[in-house]
Structure formats: structure tokens, C-alpha cells
Amino acid sequence: MILTVTLNTAVDLTYRVPALTPHASHRVTQVIERPGGKGLNVARVLAALGHETVATGFAGGATGAVLREQLATTPVRDELVETAGATRRTVAVVDAATGDTTQLNEPGPTVTAAEWTAFRVRFTALLDGATAVALCGSLPPGIHVGAYAELVRLARTAGVPVLLDTSGEPLRRGIAARPDLVKPNADELAQLTGSRDPLRATHEARGRGARTVVSSLGPDGLLAATPEGLWRATPPTAVKGNPTGAGDSAVAGLLSGLVDGAPWPDRLSRAVALSAATVLSPVAGEFDPTAYEELLPKVTLKQLDDSA
Ligand SMILES: O=P(O)(O)OC[C@@]1(O)O[C@H](CO)[C@@H](O)[C@@H]1O
């Protein structure tokens, strides 16, 4: 099975409003509620692709109960660890006039030292039987900044390939623990390396310890420094819609290809097609399966000169 970790799970609310205006009052015309936090989005996409998927992390309080009820309606196995603090909510406000999305993320509950210890025990047990593990999203308050580095080391000791998708200091420390794969977006990459040049920054990020760096360039696809060379993967057309969760779907595509033993170009095609098919779906963490099948053979793969 594939294991996904979401330390800061969330009940994701998507609000659709006719037009979003600062300082104005708005009537919400549509409300969608889903279990979220990046790792749970990854898990749902993987399960929809037919992979046996297990989700761990934390959930607590009334919001945590709602999240777990919703997760139970999906094929993802729930291995979340209970916290005394309540799971956060996030709100994505979709402006129906422009299609633009504004994201508001609560910080999440404070996790205690005892809860972190309980999680580490659960995580270590779940690694036994995992074919790959993804560590995704922000850290909730109370969790130390080197937490992902610690989990990367545990996965490496267990011989399980590990993907890290986070930002800021947790990414900087996590990357130094030598994960198999990191998937920063352009902003995260610039923050990590100080460079806005995607090619340079991707190489620089790889030099910090990750075996492979897949940088997401939004509508322009992915740039990947892999053991099979440097690749650029581009969708056939720029798709318009709600980008929330598109990066998580890219992670699901990369993991799906990894556990299937697919060559890197195929993994990248899956990631780009899933990401675009997620933008075309109105809800975070869901993709349009018909669009995915149509887009998959049309992703452009280009091998770049890796001598830099
Ligand atoms: O606060 P984080 O953990 O960085 O991001 C959380 C989040 O915004 O990311 C997902 C989209 O990628 C949403 O489903 C989710 O709520």
C-alpha cells in the first residue's frame, strides 16, 4: 500500500461567490466540504487510480469527527491519530466571474509531545508494508520544525521510498535528510534556494540532498531533475479552473508511477495530466477522470541538457 501523511489535516470548504470584492459582504452560492490537507488529497486521488492507500496524520475534535466520517466514504484506510485539539478548516473562495481562487488556511490545533510520540509509533508500524510514503503539507503548532526530517529518516531506515511536499524551514530540514523526491512549487523553490530561475533552483535543490526534484511551474507543467536526466513536461493546453489540490494530484501521479515501476517520463506525464484534470474539477483533491485519460497521451516530454 501507499502511505500518505497529513500532520495538519483540514476540513476543506470551497465557497463559490458571484464575484469576490475586498471589504464587501458576499452571498455564497455553493458550498462544498471535503476531507483535506495535502496528504488526504493525494490519498483520494491515488485511491481513485486504484491504488491501495492508507492515510495517517492527526485528527481531533468535532471537525476531526466530520473529517473522519467523510473519509470513511472513500476507499482510503483511516489510520489517523486522535488529538485533543480540533482539526482546522480551510476555505477556498472561488470567484465565479474570473475563476480565481483565494485560499484561507487556519493554523491547526496544537499537537502535544505525547500525541507526536503516538504518531511516530503508528508511522513506524505502517512503514512495514508500505511501498512508498508521501509527507505532505504544513506542520501544525506544537510539532518541531525538524519533524519531516525525522520522518524521512525513519522511512529511509525502513527502506521505503519517501516523497516530501512541504515548504519553508520544514522543507529545508527535510531535504537535508535525503528524501527520494521533493516536489516544490515555484515559490517554495525560490524560498528554499533564493533563485527565481526554475532550472537553476531545481539543480540547487537537488544539490541539497533530494535524489529527485520535481518542480511544479503551475500551468506550464513540471521541471524534473531525475536519475534519468533533466525533463520538462508540459500539458497540451493551459487549463482554467480551481488550482487547489493540483499539486497534490501531481504528487499522486508521481507516486502512482513510482510504485508501478514506470520510467520517469511516464511518471511525469501522469503527474501533469492529473494536475490539469484536477484544475478542471471544481473540488480540491478531485480530478476529472475523462479529462485525465484524454490529456495523458498529449503531455509533451522534452529531455533537457543536464550538463549544468
Ligand atoms: O496549509 P497547508 O497544509 O500547506 O495546505 C492545506 C491546503 O490548502 O492544501 C490543500 C491544497 O493543496 C488543501 O486541500 C488544504 O487545505
Side-chain angles (χ1 to χ4, degrees), residues 56-78:
T56 189
F58 294 109
T63 22
V66 168
L67 179 139
R68 296 183 91 156
E69 244 172 60
Q70 292 170 344
L71 193 61
T73 66
T74 76
V76 176
R77 192 171 105 212
D78 174 351

mmCIF file with all atom_site columns, all heavy atoms in Angstrom, residues 56-78:
data_model
loop_
_atom_site.group_PDB
_atom_site.id
_atom_site.type_symbol
_atom_site.label_atom_id
_atom_site.label_alt_id
_atom_site.label_comp_id
_atom_site.label_asym_id
_atom_site.label_entity_id
_atom_site.label_seq_id
_atom_site.pdbx_PDB_ins_code
_atom_site.Cartn_x
_atom_site.Cartn_y
_atom_site.Cartn_z
_atom_site.occupancy
_atom_site.B_iso_or_equiv
_atom_site.pdbx_formal_charge
_atom_site.auth_seq_id
_atom_site.auth_comp_id
_atom_site.auth_asym_id
_atom_site.auth_atom_id
_atom_site.pdbx_PDB_model_num
ATOM 1   N N   . THR A 1 56 ? -2.408  8.555  7.228  1.00 0.00 ? 56 THR A N   1
ATOM 2   C CA  . THR A 1 56 ? -2.173  8.815  8.635  1.00 0.00 ? 56 THR A CA  1
ATOM 3   C C   . THR A 1 56 ? -1.874  10.299 8.847  1.00 0.00 ? 56 THR A C   1
ATOM 4   O O   . THR A 1 56 ? -1.781  11.069 7.875  1.00 0.00 ? 56 THR A O   1
ATOM 5   C CB  . THR A 1 56 ? -1.078  7.895  9.232  1.00 0.00 ? 56 THR A CB  1
ATOM 6   O OG1 . THR A 1 56 ? -1.071  8.083  10.651 1.00 0.00 ? 56 THR A OG1 1
ATOM 7   C CG2 . THR A 1 56 ? 0.299   8.175  8.663  1.00 0.00 ? 56 THR A CG2 1
ATOM 8   N N   . GLY A 1 57 ? -1.737  10.685 10.131 1.00 0.00 ? 57 GLY A N   1
ATOM 9   C CA  . GLY A 1 57 ? -1.600  12.093 10.485 1.00 0.00 ? 57 GLY A CA  1
ATOM 10  C C   . GLY A 1 57 ? -2.418  12.297 11.747 1.00 0.00 ? 57 GLY A C   1
ATOM 11  O O   . GLY A 1 57 ? -2.551  11.363 12.544 1.00 0.00 ? 57 GLY A O   1
ATOM 12  N N   . PHE A 1 58 ? -2.995  13.483 11.909 1.00 0.00 ? 58 PHE A N   1
ATOM 13  C CA  . PHE A 1 58 ? -3.773  13.759 13.125 1.00 0.00 ? 58 PHE A CA  1
ATOM 14  C C   . PHE A 1 58 ? -5.187  14.216 12.775 1.00 0.00 ? 58 PHE A C   1
ATOM 15  O O   . PHE A 1 58 ? -5.400  14.868 11.747 1.00 0.00 ? 58 PHE A O   1
ATOM 16  C CB  . PHE A 1 58 ? -3.107  14.883 13.924 1.00 0.00 ? 58 PHE A CB  1
ATOM 17  C CG  . PHE A 1 58 ? -1.762  14.523 14.488 1.00 0.00 ? 58 PHE A CG  1
ATOM 18  C CD1 . PHE A 1 58 ? -0.599  15.080 13.960 1.00 0.00 ? 58 PHE A CD1 1
ATOM 19  C CD2 . PHE A 1 58 ? -1.648  13.630 15.546 1.00 0.00 ? 58 PHE A CD2 1
ATOM 20  C CE1 . PHE A 1 58 ? 0.649   14.756 14.485 1.00 0.00 ? 58 PHE A CE1 1
ATOM 21  C CE2 . PHE A 1 58 ? -0.404  13.301 16.075 1.00 0.00 ? 58 PHE A CE2 1
ATOM 22  C CZ  . PHE A 1 58 ? 0.743   13.856 15.539 1.00 0.00 ? 58 PHE A CZ  1
ATOM 23  N N   . ALA A 1 59 ? -6.125  13.901 13.660 1.00 0.00 ? 59 ALA A N   1
ATOM 24  C CA  . ALA A 1 59 ? -7.477  14.460 13.572 1.00 0.00 ? 59 ALA A CA  1
ATOM 25  C C   . ALA A 1 59 ? -8.037  14.547 14.987 1.00 0.00 ? 59 ALA A C   1
ATOM 26  O O   . ALA A 1 59 ? -7.732  13.688 15.816 1.00 0.00 ? 59 ALA A O   1
ATOM 27  C CB  . ALA A 1 59 ? -8.371  13.600 12.693 1.00 0.00 ? 59 ALA A CB  1
ATOM 28  N N   . GLY A 1 60 ? -8.832  15.576 15.263 1.00 0.00 ? 60 GLY A N   1
ATOM 29  C CA  . GLY A 1 60 ? -9.392  15.699 16.609 1.00 0.00 ? 60 GLY A CA  1
ATOM 30  C C   . GLY A 1 60 ? -10.588 16.633 16.657 1.00 0.00 ? 60 GLY A C   1
ATOM 31  O O   . GLY A 1 60 ? -10.854 17.383 15.706 1.00 0.00 ? 60 GLY A O   1
ATOM 32  N N   . GLY A 1 61 ? -11.318 16.558 17.763 1.00 0.00 ? 61 GLY A N   1
ATOM 33  C CA  . GLY A 1 61 ? -12.459 17.445 17.999 1.00 0.00 ? 61 GLY A CA  1
ATOM 34  C C   . GLY A 1 61 ? -13.604 17.188 17.033 1.00 0.00 ? 61 GLY A C   1
ATOM 35  O O   . GLY A 1 61 ? -13.617 16.187 16.303 1.00 0.00 ? 61 GLY A O   1
ATOM 36  N N   . ALA A 1 62 ? -14.555 18.127 17.030 1.00 0.00 ? 62 ALA A N   1
ATOM 37  C CA  . ALA A 1 62 ? -15.758 17.961 16.206 1.00 0.00 ? 62 ALA A CA  1
ATOM 38  C C   . ALA A 1 62 ? -15.404 17.983 14.713 1.00 0.00 ? 62 ALA A C   1
ATOM 39  O O   . ALA A 1 62 ? -15.934 17.187 13.925 1.00 0.00 ? 62 ALA A O   1
ATOM 40  C CB  . ALA A 1 62 ? -16.742 19.073 16.528 1.00 0.00 ? 62 ALA A CB  1
ATOM 41  N N   . THR A 1 63 ? -14.473 18.859 14.330 1.00 0.00 ? 63 THR A N   1
ATOM 42  C CA  . THR A 1 63 ? -14.088 18.910 12.901 1.00 0.00 ? 63 THR A CA  1
ATOM 43  C C   . THR A 1 63 ? -13.384 17.618 12.504 1.00 0.00 ? 63 THR A C   1
ATOM 44  O O   . THR A 1 63 ? -13.569 17.114 11.394 1.00 0.00 ? 63 THR A O   1
ATOM 45  C CB  . THR A 1 63 ? -13.147 20.105 12.602 1.00 0.00 ? 63 THR A CB  1
ATOM 46  O OG1 . THR A 1 63 ? -12.504 20.512 13.792 1.00 0.00 ? 63 THR A OG1 1
ATOM 47  C CG2 . THR A 1 63 ? -13.834 21.237 11.933 1.00 0.00 ? 63 THR A CG2 1
ATOM 48  N N   . GLY A 1 64 ? -12.588 17.083 13.436 1.00 0.00 ? 64 GLY A N   1
ATOM 49  C CA  . GLY A 1 64 ? -11.900 15.820 13.156 1.00 0.00 ? 64 GLY A CA  1
ATOM 50  C C   . GLY A 1 64 ? -12.906 14.692 12.947 1.00 0.00 ? 64 GLY A C   1
ATOM 51  O O   . GLY A 1 64 ? -12.722 13.841 12.065 1.00 0.00 ? 64 GLY A O   1
ATOM 52  N N   . ALA A 1 65 ? -13.985 14.703 13.744 1.00 0.00 ? 65 ALA A N   1
ATOM 53  C CA  . ALA A 1 65 ? -15.013 13.658 13.602 1.00 0.00 ? 65 ALA A CA  1
ATOM 54  C C   . ALA A 1 65 ? -15.692 13.776 12.234 1.00 0.00 ? 65 ALA A C   1
ATOM 55  O O   . ALA A 1 65 ? -15.926 12.765 11.557 1.00 0.00 ? 65 ALA A O   1
ATOM 56  C CB  . ALA A 1 65 ? -16.027 13.785 14.727 1.00 0.00 ? 65 ALA A CB  1
ATOM 57  N N   . VAL A 1 66 ? -15.983 15.007 11.818 1.00 0.00 ? 66 VAL A N   1
ATOM 58  C CA  . VAL A 1 66 ? -16.608 15.222 10.494 1.00 0.00 ? 66 VAL A CA  1
ATOM 59  C C   . VAL A 1 66 ? -15.667 14.706 9.404  1.00 0.00 ? 66 VAL A C   1
ATOM 60  O O   . VAL A 1 66 ? -16.063 13.980 8.486  1.00 0.00 ? 66 VAL A O   1
ATOM 61  C CB  . VAL A 1 66 ? -16.913 16.737 10.282 1.00 0.00 ? 66 VAL A CB  1
ATOM 62  C CG1 . VAL A 1 66 ? -17.279 17.037 8.840  1.00 0.00 ? 66 VAL A CG1 1
ATOM 63  C CG2 . VAL A 1 66 ? -18.010 17.191 11.226 1.00 0.00 ? 66 VAL A CG2 1
ATOM 64  N N   . LEU A 1 67 ? -14.387 15.080 9.532  1.00 0.00 ? 67 LEU A N   1
ATOM 65  C CA  . LEU A 1 67 ? -13.389 14.672 8.537  1.00 0.00 ? 67 LEU A CA  1
ATOM 66  C C   . LEU A 1 67 ? -13.331 13.139 8.430  1.00 0.00 ? 67 LEU A C   1
ATOM 67  O O   . LEU A 1 67 ? -13.329 12.574 7.335  1.00 0.00 ? 67 LEU A O   1
ATOM 68  C CB  . LEU A 1 67 ? -12.030 15.248 8.927  1.00 0.00 ? 67 LEU A CB  1
ATOM 69  C CG  . LEU A 1 67 ? -10.855 14.907 8.020  1.00 0.00 ? 67 LEU A CG  1
ATOM 70  C CD1 . LEU A 1 67 ? -9.984  16.132 7.829  1.00 0.00 ? 67 LEU A CD1 1
ATOM 71  C CD2 . LEU A 1 67 ? -9.991  13.791 8.561  1.00 0.00 ? 67 LEU A CD2 1
ATOM 72  N N   . ARG A 1 68 ? -13.334 12.470 9.567  1.00 0.00 ? 68 ARG A N   1
ATOM 73  C CA  . ARG A 1 68 ? -13.207 11.005 9.563  1.00 0.00 ? 68 ARG A CA  1
ATOM 74  C C   . ARG A 1 68 ? -14.462 10.353 8.995  1.00 0.00 ? 68 ARG A C   1
ATOM 75  O O   . ARG A 1 68 ? -14.376 9.337  8.304  1.00 0.00 ? 68 ARG A O   1
ATOM 76  C CB  . ARG A 1 68 ? -12.905 10.500 10.972 1.00 0.00 ? 68 ARG A CB  1
ATOM 77  C CG  . ARG A 1 68 ? -11.570 11.020 11.460 1.00 0.00 ? 68 ARG A CG  1
ATOM 78  C CD  . ARG A 1 68 ? -11.200 10.488 12.794 1.00 0.00 ? 68 ARG A CD  1
ATOM 79  N NE  . ARG A 1 68 ? -10.428 9.275  12.625 1.00 0.00 ? 68 ARG A NE  1
ATOM 80  C CZ  . ARG A 1 68 ? -9.575  8.807  13.546 1.00 0.00 ? 68 ARG A CZ  1
ATOM 81  N NH1 . ARG A 1 68 ? -9.412  9.439  14.670 1.00 0.00 ? 68 ARG A NH1 1
ATOM 82  N NH2 . ARG A 1 68 ? -8.902  7.712  13.330 1.00 0.00 ? 68 ARG A NH2 1
ATOM 83  N N   . GLU A 1 69 ? -15.631 10.957 9.276  1.00 0.00 ? 69 GLU A N   1
ATOM 84  C CA  . GLU A 1 69 ? -16.885 10.444 8.698  1.00 0.00 ? 69 GLU A CA  1
ATOM 85  C C   . GLU A 1 69 ? -16.821 10.536 7.171  1.00 0.00 ? 69 GLU A C   1
ATOM 86  O O   . GLU A 1 69 ? -17.200 9.613  6.465  1.00 0.00 ? 69 GLU A O   1
ATOM 87  C CB  . GLU A 1 69 ? -18.029 11.352 9.143  1.00 0.00 ? 69 GLU A CB  1
ATOM 88  C CG  . GLU A 1 69 ? -19.078 10.688 10.014 1.00 0.00 ? 69 GLU A CG  1
ATOM 89  C CD  . GLU A 1 69 ? -20.013 11.748 10.535 1.00 0.00 ? 69 GLU A CD  1
ATOM 90  O OE1 . GLU A 1 69 ? -20.656 12.441 9.736  1.00 0.00 ? 69 GLU A OE1 1
ATOM 91  O OE2 . GLU A 1 69 ? -20.039 11.911 11.779 1.00 0.00 ? 69 GLU A OE2 1
ATOM 92  N N   . GLN A 1 70 ? -16.318 11.670 6.685  1.00 0.00 ? 70 GLN A N   1
ATOM 93  C CA  . GLN A 1 70 ? -16.231 11.877 5.230  1.00 0.00 ? 70 GLN A CA  1
ATOM 94  C C   . GLN A 1 70 ? -15.192 10.943 4.611  1.00 0.00 ? 70 GLN A C   1
ATOM 95  O O   . GLN A 1 70 ? -15.392 10.388 3.533  1.00 0.00 ? 70 GLN A O   1
ATOM 96  C CB  . GLN A 1 70 ? -15.883 13.337 4.914  1.00 0.00 ? 70 GLN A CB  1
ATOM 97  C CG  . GLN A 1 70 ? -17.008 14.283 5.277  1.00 0.00 ? 70 GLN A CG  1
ATOM 98  C CD  . GLN A 1 70 ? -16.588 15.740 5.205  1.00 0.00 ? 70 GLN A CD  1
ATOM 99  O OE1 . GLN A 1 70 ? -15.404 16.064 5.162  1.00 0.00 ? 70 GLN A OE1 1
ATOM 100 N NE2 . GLN A 1 70 ? -17.564 16.624 5.211  1.00 0.00 ? 70 GLN A NE2 1
ATOM 101 N N   . LEU A 1 71 ? -14.087 10.758 5.330  1.00 0.00 ? 71 LEU A N   1
ATOM 102 C CA  . LEU A 1 71 ? -13.024 9.880  4.811  1.00 0.00 ? 71 LEU A CA  1
ATOM 103 C C   . LEU A 1 71 ? -13.512 8.433  4.712  1.00 0.00 ? 71 LEU A C   1
ATOM 104 O O   . LEU A 1 71 ? -13.114 7.688  3.816  1.00 0.00 ? 71 LEU A O   1
ATOM 105 C CB  . LEU A 1 71 ? -11.803 9.986  5.733  1.00 0.00 ? 71 LEU A CB  1
ATOM 106 C CG  . LEU A 1 71 ? -10.494 9.405  5.223  1.00 0.00 ? 71 LEU A CG  1
ATOM 107 C CD1 . LEU A 1 71 ? -10.039 10.095 3.939  1.00 0.00 ? 71 LEU A CD1 1
ATOM 108 C CD2 . LEU A 1 71 ? -9.395  9.521  6.283  1.00 0.00 ? 71 LEU A CD2 1
ATOM 109 N N   . ALA A 1 72 ? -14.416 8.069  5.630  1.00 0.00 ? 72 ALA A N   1
ATOM 110 C CA  . ALA A 1 72 ? -14.938 6.694  5.657  1.00 0.00 ? 72 ALA A CA  1
ATOM 111 C C   . ALA A 1 72 ? -15.767 6.381  4.408  1.00 0.00 ? 72 ALA A C   1
ATOM 112 O O   . ALA A 1 72 ? -15.997 5.213  4.092  1.00 0.00 ? 72 ALA A O   1
ATOM 113 C CB  . ALA A 1 72 ? -15.771 6.486  6.916  1.00 0.00 ? 72 ALA A CB  1
ATOM 114 N N   . THR A 1 73 ? -16.208 7.409  3.699  1.00 0.00 ? 73 THR A N   1
ATOM 115 C CA  . THR A 1 73 ? -16.996 7.172  2.475  1.00 0.00 ? 73 THR A CA  1
ATOM 116 C C   . THR A 1 73 ? -16.079 6.967  1.263  1.00 0.00 ? 73 THR A C   1
ATOM 117 O O   . THR A 1 73 ? -16.554 6.784  0.158  1.00 0.00 ? 73 THR A O   1
ATOM 118 C CB  . THR A 1 73 ? -17.951 8.354  2.180  1.00 0.00 ? 73 THR A CB  1
ATOM 119 O OG1 . THR A 1 73 ? -17.146 9.507  1.867  1.00 0.00 ? 73 THR A OG1 1
ATOM 120 C CG2 . THR A 1 73 ? -18.861 8.657  3.366  1.00 0.00 ? 73 THR A CG2 1
ATOM 121 N N   . THR A 1 74 ? -14.761 7.035  1.471  1.00 0.00 ? 74 THR A N   1
ATOM 122 C CA  . THR A 1 74 ? -13.798 6.841  0.373  1.00 0.00 ? 74 THR A CA  1
ATOM 123 C C   . THR A 1 74 ? -13.070 5.506  0.597  1.00 0.00 ? 74 THR A C   1
ATOM 124 O O   . THR A 1 74 ? -13.124 4.951  1.696  1.00 0.00 ? 74 THR A O   1
ATOM 125 C CB  . THR A 1 74 ? -12.746 7.981  0.346  1.00 0.00 ? 74 THR A CB  1
ATOM 126 O OG1 . THR A 1 74 ? -11.805 7.752  1.422  1.00 0.00 ? 74 THR A OG1 1
ATOM 127 C CG2 . THR A 1 74 ? -13.372 9.356  0.505  1.00 0.00 ? 74 THR A CG2 1
ATOM 128 N N   . PRO A 1 75 ? -12.360 4.998  -0.414 1.00 0.00 ? 75 PRO A N   1
ATOM 129 C CA  . PRO A 1 75 ? -11.628 3.738  -0.203 1.00 0.00 ? 75 PRO A CA  1
ATOM 130 C C   . PRO A 1 75 ? -10.327 3.895  0.585  1.00 0.00 ? 75 PRO A C   1
ATOM 131 O O   . PRO A 1 75 ? -9.627  2.919  0.808  1.00 0.00 ? 75 PRO A O   1
ATOM 132 C CB  . PRO A 1 75 ? -11.320 3.262  -1.637 1.00 0.00 ? 75 PRO A CB  1
ATOM 133 C CG  . PRO A 1 75 ? -11.836 4.284  -2.573 1.00 0.00 ? 75 PRO A CG  1
ATOM 134 C CD  . PRO A 1 75 ? -12.258 5.479  -1.795 1.00 0.00 ? 75 PRO A CD  1
ATOM 135 N N   . VAL A 1 76 ? -10.009 5.117  1.036  1.00 0.00 ? 76 VAL A N   1
ATOM 136 C CA  . VAL A 1 76 ? -8.754  5.358  1.768  1.00 0.00 ? 76 VAL A CA  1
ATOM 137 C C   . VAL A 1 76 ? -8.882  4.816  3.195  1.00 0.00 ? 76 VAL A C   1
ATOM 138 O O   . VAL A 1 76 ? -9.858  5.117  3.881  1.00 0.00 ? 76 VAL A O   1
ATOM 139 C CB  . VAL A 1 76 ? -8.446  6.879  1.818  1.00 0.00 ? 76 VAL A CB  1
ATOM 140 C CG1 . VAL A 1 76 ? -7.211  7.165  2.659  1.00 0.00 ? 76 VAL A CG1 1
ATOM 141 C CG2 . VAL A 1 76 ? -8.288  7.440  0.410  1.00 0.00 ? 76 VAL A CG2 1
ATOM 142 N N   . ARG A 1 77 ? -7.904  4.008  3.639  1.00 0.00 ? 77 ARG A N   1
ATOM 143 C CA  . ARG A 1 77 ? -7.949  3.482  5.016  1.00 0.00 ? 77 ARG A CA  1
ATOM 144 C C   . ARG A 1 77 ? -7.507  4.557  6.005  1.00 0.00 ? 77 ARG A C   1
ATOM 145 O O   . ARG A 1 77 ? -6.457  5.168  5.816  1.00 0.00 ? 77 ARG A O   1
ATOM 146 C CB  . ARG A 1 77 ? -7.052  2.245  5.131  1.00 0.00 ? 77 ARG A CB  1
ATOM 147 C CG  . ARG A 1 77 ? -7.290  1.484  6.437  1.00 0.00 ? 77 ARG A CG  1
ATOM 148 C CD  . ARG A 1 77 ? -6.544  0.173  6.408  1.00 0.00 ? 77 ARG A CD  1
ATOM 149 N NE  . ARG A 1 77 ? -5.360  0.218  7.261  1.00 0.00 ? 77 ARG A NE  1
ATOM 150 C CZ  . ARG A 1 77 ? -4.244  -0.443 7.025  1.00 0.00 ? 77 ARG A CZ  1
ATOM 151 N NH1 . ARG A 1 77 ? -4.131  -1.183 5.934  1.00 0.00 ? 77 ARG A NH1 1
ATOM 152 N NH2 . ARG A 1 77 ? -3.231  -0.373 7.868  1.00 0.00 ? 77 ARG A NH2 1
ATOM 153 N N   . ASP A 1 78 ? -8.309  4.758  7.031  1.00 0.00 ? 78 ASP A N   1
ATOM 154 C CA  . ASP A 1 78 ? -8.066  5.809  8.030  1.00 0.00 ? 78 ASP A CA  1
ATOM 155 C C   . ASP A 1 78 ? -7.162  5.271  9.134  1.00 0.00 ? 78 ASP A C   1
ATOM 156 O O   . ASP A 1 78 ? -7.566  4.400  9.897  1.00 0.00 ? 78 ASP A O   1
ATOM 157 C CB  . ASP A 1 78 ? -9.425  6.262  8.575  1.00 0.00 ? 78 ASP A CB  1
ATOM 158 C CG  . ASP A 1 78 ? -9.323  7.261  9.723  1.00 0.00 ? 78 ASP A CG  1
ATOM 159 O OD1 . ASP A 1 78 ? -8.213  7.498  10.231 1.00 0.00 ? 78 ASP A OD1 1
ATOM 160 O OD2 . ASP A 1 78 ? -10.367 7.804  10.119 1.00 0.00 ? 78 ASP A OD2 1
#
